[in-house]
Amino acid sequence: MKFSSIAIACLTLAGAAVSTSAWADKASLLRATGNVPERAECPANTEVNRSGGVLKCSVTLVFERGSICPPANKPNYVTIQMAGADKCLPAVTGDVVSVPSAMNPVAGPPKLKGQSGLPGDIMGYLTAVGPAALLGPDEGRYQRVVNPGGADKFVAEKIVHLWPASYPVHYTLGKNPANGVSCPNGYNDVTGRSQDSLGCERIEKKRPMCQNVNGIGWRLEVKRGEDRCQGPTEGPTKPEGEHAGPGNDWDLDTDAVGNEDRWVRVSYTRPVGR
């Protein structure tokens, strides 16, 4: 039963029957289907970490650099040998030993780990994070990958955290996507079947009450089923302290054994950046 101006005045009307825990049915359905309003969801092709009420979205970028000669400290070792691990040989051969090949100082464009390139949607999310997201890691992070039948390469990985998909820009100001998003105070995190998303739910409960209308009072009668306001006439209750108006989306949780009912409101909001 939705709370309305009729409920405030406790007028004599033949109200529709109220199902027990209608609010719970609605909230449970939203959770079970994952259709919680305003939830935050990680973009496609991203890695998801959801723990302790915090949702984090990330991608692993792979950077590659080629194997070249000469090394900076051996300018005369210009010939590359690709048998096993690449080596550099001097221009004039003799008894001089070879040295390991060097790493190209310029990396190629990054790839998404497990893919041959960088999907366009991920490129858009990385651009939103900032230009530094596409920069390769420090040189010390690169490891040689030996190619027995060809040129070696040097490979490094970098984890970049992203904001959830379609996340409002003003929610990100002064925040770091590496810290993820979480529910604001007063809201609990709910997920349903969607493990790559986070929704925020608040459940408010209030006692039923009756009020005076034009100086005439009503009293609350607790009944098995729906509690009612009794006075010169009979009418429905309202949530304690509430007044009718747009957006007051209250449901009545009736008690089947004769205890006092409760008015319940379930509201949702978007997780906030941390």
Side-chain angles (χ1 to χ4, degrees):
M1 171 185 285
K2 298 298 184 183
F3 173 51
S4 67
S5 57
I6 296 175
I8 288 186
C10 293
L11 298 177
T12 306
L13 290 174
V18 181
S19 61
T20 300
S21 299
W23 68 272
D25 294 340
K26 177 178 64 178
S28 297
L29 178 62
L30 289 171
R31 295 191 204 104
T33 59
N35 293 325
V36 176
E38 298 195 72
R39 71 187 189 279
E41 186 171 5
C42 287
N45 296 314
T46 62
E47 301 165 34
V48 181
N49 183 304
R50 189 178 185 280
S51 176
V54 178
L55 175 71
K56 298 181 181 180
C57 313
S58 65
V59 292
T60 299
L61 301 182
V62 179
F63 293 82
E64 295 183 2
R65 295 188 181 187
S67 169
I68 61 171
C69 295
N73 60 343
K74 297 284 186 178
N76 190 44
Y77 283 61
V78 295
T79 303
I80 190 167
Q81 184 182 66
M82 297 181 185
D86 293 353
K87 299 178 177 59
C88 296
L89 304 174
V92 178
T93 59
D95 296 330
V96 180
V97 296
S98 61
V99 297
S101 65
M103 179 173 65
N104 193 323
V106 179
K111 303 174 183 178
L112 189 64
K113 187 173 182 177
Q115 299 195 22
S116 59
L118 198 59
D121 57 342
I122 296 299
M123 176 64 80
Y125 287 113
L126 291 169
T127 302
V129 172
L134 293 169
L135 296 178
D138 295 338
E139 291 193 359
R141 300 275 301 278
Y142 286 83
Q143 300 292 324
R144 181 189 293 267
V145 177
V146 176
N147 179 4
D152 296 346
K153 58 184 177 181
F154 296 82
V155 179
E157 294 184 355
K158 174 183 176 181
I159 296 176
V160 180
H161 286 88
L162 309 174
W163 292 113
S166 303
Y167 201 64
V169 174
H170 63 275
Y171 276 58
T172 70
L173 298 177
K175 310 296 183 180
N176 186 343
N179 296 329
V181 299
S182 61
C183 293
N185 291 335
Y187 285 83
N188 296 317
D189 63 292
V190 289
T191 305
R193 293 197 302 260
S194 181
Q195 293 298 320
D196 61 349
S197 68
L198 174 64
C200 301
E201 176 188 75
R202 178 173 63 186
I203 300 176
E204 303 170 79
K205 296 185 179 182
K206 292 195 174 185
R207 299 180 59 193
M209 66 169 290
C210 305
Q211 72 175 36
N212 295 338
V213 179
N214 297 327
I216 300 175
W218 272 259
R219 62 180 175 78
L220 175 65
E221 180 180 0
V222 178
K223 305 172 62 176
R224 178 176 295 179
E226 181 187 348
D227 298 345
R228 302 291 288 177
C229 291
Q230 299 289 348
T233 56
E234 178 183 314
T237 64
K238 75 165 190 172
E240 187 174 48
E242 288 294 319
H243 301 282
N248 285 338
D249 188 20
W250 291 90
D251 292 287
L252 184 60
D253 187 10
T254 59
D255 188 275
V257 297
N259 295 322
E260 194 175 78
D261 296 342
R262 285 293 181 267
W263 282 97
V264 185
R265 177 166 63 184
V266 183
S267 56
Y268 301 93
T269 191
R270 190 186 302 272
V272 296
R274 293 159 51 87

